[in-house]
Amino acid sequence: KGLLGDPNFLRRLIDYDKDNIAPEVIKKARLLIAQPDFDPKLIDKVSSVTTALCKWVIAMTKYSQGAQGISADLHPKEGGEEKGVTDHGGRDI
């Protein structure tokens, strides 16, 4: 709640340096995304603001991994396809 009460919070999200996300931050985000309850559809039942933040974390992680050419292995795809990062519902992120 402290972050959401910050009058500059939205500006900080918009101005976030997505091209220089520290590897430690990506690692933590990937662990968070792997949690079964980190699902925008589930979170939307409780808070639309938190749903937006959930989607932002997923988008920043996906962007960073694409920009850095990272091949993550949190949730392997089935059928022998290339492994990628997916959220707990099997959707690519």
Side-chain angles (χ1 to χ4, degrees), residues 49-60:
V49 173
T50 308
T51 300
L53 290 173
C54 174
K55 290 178 180 180
W56 183 85
V57 170
I58 292 169
M60 289 296 106

Side-chain angles (χ1 to χ4, degrees), residues 19-86:
D19 293 316
N20 293 301
I21 302 174
E24 307 84 49
V25 173
I26 293 299
K27 183 178 179 179
K28 289 179 182 180
R30 288 175 56 208
L31 292 172
L32 181 64
I33 292 167
Q35 298 299 311
D37 55 351
F38 195 82
D39 181 344
K41 290 181 183 178
L42 292 175
I43 295 170
D44 194 42
K45 295 176 183 177
V46 179
S47 168
S48 59
V49 173
T50 308
T51 300
L53 290 173
C54 174
K55 290 178 180 180
W56 183 85
V57 170
I58 292 169
M60 289 296 106
T61 304
K62 183 176 181 179
Y63 176 85
S64 179
Q65 290 174 294
Q68 296 175 14
I70 296 171
S71 175
D73 194 11
L74 283 181
H75 300 275
K77 293 181 180 181
E78 294 182 25
E81 296 178 41
E82 179 182 314
K83 294 180 180 183
V85 173
T86 61

